[in-house]
Amino acid sequence: MKITTNKLMMSILKNRKIEFTSQNVSLPNELDELINSGFREEEGCILFKDYQYFGPGELDSELKKSEYEIFLNDINISDYVSEKLDEFEKLKIGVECGKRIYEQLNKHYQKDFRVLIYFGETLNGNEIDIYDDCIVKFHVIRVSCEDELKEFGIESKSEGVLIIQ
């Protein structure tokens, strides 16, 4: 497991003393069940087994398959926790969720995966006003479309990004 972050995420993790590699965090039951229920293959894509999907249209390229996975394999941590939970606690849950997804995927598939964890913020001038949600996504790494996926890359975001692959 290789973990990388952009500068903003590294700063957030250091300032909040979040040790993402060794720290284990309990996940909300519903989120834990989602991960443990597993995954399924659909038109060459790996998707959460319990999510309901709509027809993807034609997935006639590796890029379209990756974009479909990134779009559908999307977890907003706020959907699984109390509104009163501190945003940095949501980040801890998001990182733990990402680690567990990665472990489950690698346990069941002979493919390379990328798990993306985003932690957004709203700036007021040069100061951080509020942090938004923590979002976790994943997709199969398809070498043929890596250049086109740069929009999901680590330094192209104005939010904290942590990548597990």
Side-chain angles (χ1 to χ4, degrees), residues 69-96:
E69 288 171 334
I70 291 167
F71 177 70
L72 290 178
N73 294 319
D74 181 286
I75 297 173
N76 292 333
I77 298 301
S78 290
D79 293 344
Y80 296 91
V81 298
S82 163
E83 288 180 22
K84 295 178 183 178
L85 192 64
D86 176 82
E87 60 265 10
F88 295 103
E89 293 302 314
K90 292 178 189 175
L91 175 58
K92 288 179 186 178
I93 290 169
V95 171
E96 183 67 23

Side-chain angles (χ1 to χ4, degrees), residues 30-31 33-35 37-40 42 46-54 68-77 79-80 97 101 135-138:
E30 191 178 359
L31 187 53
E33 289 170 9
L34 172 68
I35 295 167
S37 69
F39 307 91
R40 69 174 192 228
E42 179 181 299
I46 307 296
L47 307 168
F48 282 115
K49 182 179 179 183
D50 287 346
Y51 271 18
Q52 296 298 315
Y53 298 105
F54 56 88
Y68 184 60
E69 288 171 334
I70 291 167
F71 177 70
L72 290 178
N73 294 319
D74 181 286
I75 297 173
N76 292 333
I77 298 301
D79 293 344
Y80 296 91
C97 176
I101 288 170
I135 298 170
V136 180
K137 300 172 175 273
F138 74 85

